[in-house]
Amino acid sequence: MNVIITPHTLQGTVEAPSSKSIGHRDLICAALAEGESLVDNISLSQDIEATCDILRALGADITPVMSSHPGRAAYRVRGGLKKQDGPIAVSANESGSTLRFLIPVAIFSGNEVTFSGQGRLAKRPLTPYYELFDEKGVAYETTEGALPLTVSGTLQPGTYSLAGDVSSQFFTGLLMTLPLLDGDSVLRSTTPLESASYVDMTLDCLRQHGIVIEKEQDGFYRIPGNQHYRPGTYVVEGDYSQAAFWLSAGSLGRAICCTGLRSQSSQGDEVIVSLIRDMGGQVEGKTELTSSPSELAGRVIDVEDCPDLVPVLTVLASCAKGITRIIHAGRVRLKECDRLHAMATELNKIGGDIEEEAEGLIIHGVGGFTGGTVSGWNDHRIAMALAVASQRCSQPLRIEGAECVRKSYPEFWQDFQALGGMIQKEGEE
Ligand SMILES: O=C(O)C1=C[C@@H](OP(=O)(O)O)[C@@H](O)[C@H](O)C1
Ligand SMILES: C=C(OP(=O)(O)O)C(=O)O
């Protein structure tokens, strides 16, 4: 499906979907607990469904129940993974988190599990796991390091050392599984850990589910073994990575209030609030954040800890005065697409002035864009960032492959229209 957007400033109030990152974590922790949990206020998306499907295949009972939050999902989770009768085949679809979080969980379950994936996931790196499995003698099979991947064998307690500059998701997967082993473990990064805020989010979720891990410093964790996940009731908070699109839209057009967020969240992407303010934008409030139009100015932005903000920051920077440098963004090339290349290519097509560097972008402020046809690169965050850019286009903007928002935010186009966005759909599925 393509959307053709007639440029128009957005305005109004929108509720942020609930956090995809916390949703994955709460569901996995609940599935690892012996007993019944409730995970409420889930915003369904392809990624979250992939996590539920794999946890079910590993033996957890995950049943939809009535949510206390209208329009959202809630699941009753009866945890406890089971050894199934034969080998299991599962798909992580396009979700890097699902795949990397659940590979160690699958090994722990004692099953032989074959993971497949769609889109770019089949080629996104898994090398840190392969190196560990080679070192520890954990059996796995893959063709040229790509999916499908079959894992079997067992995990033993011990010292796990892996690179911290590929994805923090490997650390999260191991931190969720190692506490269940029958001895203590140490997990350490052999390089400075990037996306460290996501590992802190993991530690926070684990604590809420009864698991204790000692963090000596970013990238060094002591993990007591023989622990048990505690069942309970968990309500997922709003998603700052998604709110970032609306808060950015507010500073480029007319005031937008984004609700449902928790202030002082464990989500590193809460930093969008201070990043917009540092560029000269106005964002007021705590759990209901209102972003108002302002003149923005370019600056240096280090995204080591907030990689998912890059697409929308590129739009903000293009509309700001002066030059913005986005630095420490090398890993952003390893997401659903090469996001540095995609944003430079698409915005330059419509009048942007962006130079790519190996690990970042140099963005010259151009104030606005012409309009024309751009591609969403089958990447939800590229499509959503381009939709925000449409507000500053002088002609209609046609976004190809706009359905890719379903990976994390299936209601994105509805919310865009509810805020006054004017879209026409082509070739709706
Ligand atoms: O742990 C998580 O929930 C995530 C970690 C980040 O990945 P990297 O650690 O690969 O940067 C982020 O980009 C991804 O969208 C979600
Ligand atoms: C990169 C993302 O997710 P994942 O790594 O889980 O596919 C994302 O949501 O932007």
Side-chain angles (χ1 to χ4, degrees), residues 73-226:
Y75 287 114
R76 191 198 61 215
V77 182
R78 290 211 182 94
L81 306 185
K82 295 173 194 73
K83 177 106 175 67
Q84 309 292 339
D85 288 340
I88 307 172
V90 296
S91 171
N93 205 344
E94 299 189 42
S95 172
S97 301
T98 304
L99 178 67
R100 287 148 171 175
F101 296 171
L102 292 180
I103 287 173
V105 171
I107 298 173
F108 172 76
S109 77
N111 289 294
E112 179 182 314
V113 183
T114 299
F115 287 90
S116 60
Q118 299 296 316
R120 201 166 191 236
L121 186 62
K123 297 257 157 65
R124 288 173 67 187
L126 290 171
T127 336
Y129 275 161
Y130 295 147
E131 288 174 359
L132 271 183
F133 298 162
D134 289 340
E135 179 196 322
K136 306 257 175 213
V138 177
Y140 71 96
E141 253 180 69
T142 168
T143 312
E144 293 168 10
L147 298 182
L149 159 72
T150 300
V151 290
S152 50
T154 49
L155 282 178
Q156 299 295 340
T159 296
Y160 285 74
S161 303
L162 68 162
D165 58 357
V166 183
S167 170
S168 69
Q169 294 169 349
F170 302 110
F171 287 79
T172 290
L174 288 164
L175 285 168
M176 287 177 150
T177 312
L178 295 176
L180 297 168
L181 305 185
D182 62 1
D184 301 346
S185 298
V186 166
L187 175 64
R188 55 177 283 274
S189 178
T190 53
T191 65
L193 179 63
E194 299 183 15
S195 282
S197 64
Y198 283 97
V199 176
D200 288 343
M201 180 198 285
T202 303
L203 297 183
D204 191 58
C205 277
L206 288 173
R207 210 167 16 249
Q208 291 177 42
H209 289 260
I211 298 287
V212 181
I213 285 172
E214 191 195 326
K215 169 177 154 179
E216 277 199 8
Q217 60 184 63
D218 280 342
F220 195 107
Y221 311 92
R222 293 192 187 280
I223 305 148
N226 295 303

Side-chain angles (χ1 to χ4, degrees), residues 20 24 47 94-98 100 124 169 308 335-336 339 380-381 407-408:
K20 171 165 80 91
H24 283 305
D47 285 9
E94 299 189 42
S95 172
S97 301
T98 304
R100 287 148 171 175
R124 288 173 67 187
Q169 294 169 349
D308 293 354
K335 306 288 179 187
E336 287 80 332
R339 288 180 173 163
H380 52 141
R381 296 199 200 278
K407 182 173 190 286
S408 68

Side-chain angles (χ1 to χ4, degrees), residues 11-28:
Q11 187 180 33
T13 298
V14 59
E15 182 173 13
S18 71
S19 165
K20 171 165 80 91
S21 290
I22 297 178
H24 283 305
R25 286 165 172 76
D26 276 340
L27 287 163
I28 296 169

